[in-house]
Amino acid sequence: MDSEKKKVLVGAALFNWSETQRMITIADGLWKNGWQVYFAGKGPYERLIADKPYKRVYLQCDTWWYDQKHIDRMMDMGRYGGHIGSAKELEQVVNEEVALIREIQPDLMLTGYRMTFTASARICQTPLVWCMSAVMSQPFITALYQETKRRLSNQSGAVIENGEKECIFEDSFACGRLLGHGKGTIQDWNKLLEEHGRPRFKGDLMLYAGDLTLMADAPELFPDIRENKAWRFIGPILNYENYPVPEIKTDRKKVLISIGSSCGKSLLVLLLQAALMASDYEYYVTDVGYLTPEEKQEYPDNFHFYEKLSLIHISEPTR
């Protein structure tokens, strides 16, 4: 009976293909092991869960919290950090999530990247699991911060060009802020936690961490990260959907332009404009839904658009 099952509340970034796929893969594993899965939110990639045996739950705040303005801020952490929206907006979202959590009473919450779940889970004292790339983990950011400090101190005596030094300084500042050194961007978040009598976040990076954080990367690529009970590698979570491999008949040189679903339309258009300057290539483009059919028709016949392609299968014929 459902009442006897353990319950997990999943909050995916349904505007992002890869993050949604990660949540689905983990949710599938929990469901197969007898858990009742509640999947929250709305977005362009909720179609990926249309046929899943999950219980769908919706939050009214998602109709405006996940508009393009807020999404752009979420995806530009280096610039905005926790300043995703106003304090009033943040309070509205968290209060609605808290009400949902108290209604469902999940045994576990799972997210990647629904940052507000981090605050809501803390308020409700519900165990939270994050799934993310290792490059956003505290061990990686700590190591990067220490490396920038070492280079800025120039202990080795190596010559650092002004442009490079500026980049190192920017990285050091961003990493320091994430780790809680100096003024962060989570004042509104901490005020909200204090109002509920819960502990504050010590740094911006805590928005991206749970009681357990799963790093969806190969550990061999991060030899300096040491796993512990709070940070665990689970390996890459791949997209297992099948995509048609386009038939390639031409002998012309080929170029594959592949972007992520959080890349943004403006960057894609910039890449395509650059490609237009070299007309002697066949371009195979994954636009992940950014371009309308009318916009695609504006490009010459040597541009071939697909929402998604199997990069492994297409890499051989595009060499």
Side-chain angles (χ1 to χ4, degrees), residues 23-71:
M23 293 296 99
I24 290 173
T25 302
I26 297 174
D28 279 351
L30 291 170
W31 182 81
K32 290 175 182 176
N33 280 277
W35 286 64
Q36 177 63 62
V37 178
Y38 293 81
F39 214 101
K42 287 187 68 64
Y45 294 110
E46 63 181 304
R47 59 182 172 78
L48 298 176
I49 57 176
D51 298 325
K52 296 292 183 180
Y54 310 150
K55 290 189 176 182
R56 295 287 283 115
V57 290
Y58 301 95
L59 298 113
Q60 191 279 330
C61 59
D62 284 1
T63 60
W64 50 266
W65 183 248
Y66 286 100
D67 63 13
Q68 197 57 51
K69 180 188 75 173
H70 290 88
I71 290 174

Side-chain angles (χ1 to χ4, degrees), residues 105-117:
Q105 296 186 351
D107 299 278
L108 180 70
M109 292 171 62
L110 169 69
T111 193
Y113 276 61
R114 189 179 179 106
M115 286 89 78
T116 45
F117 259 26

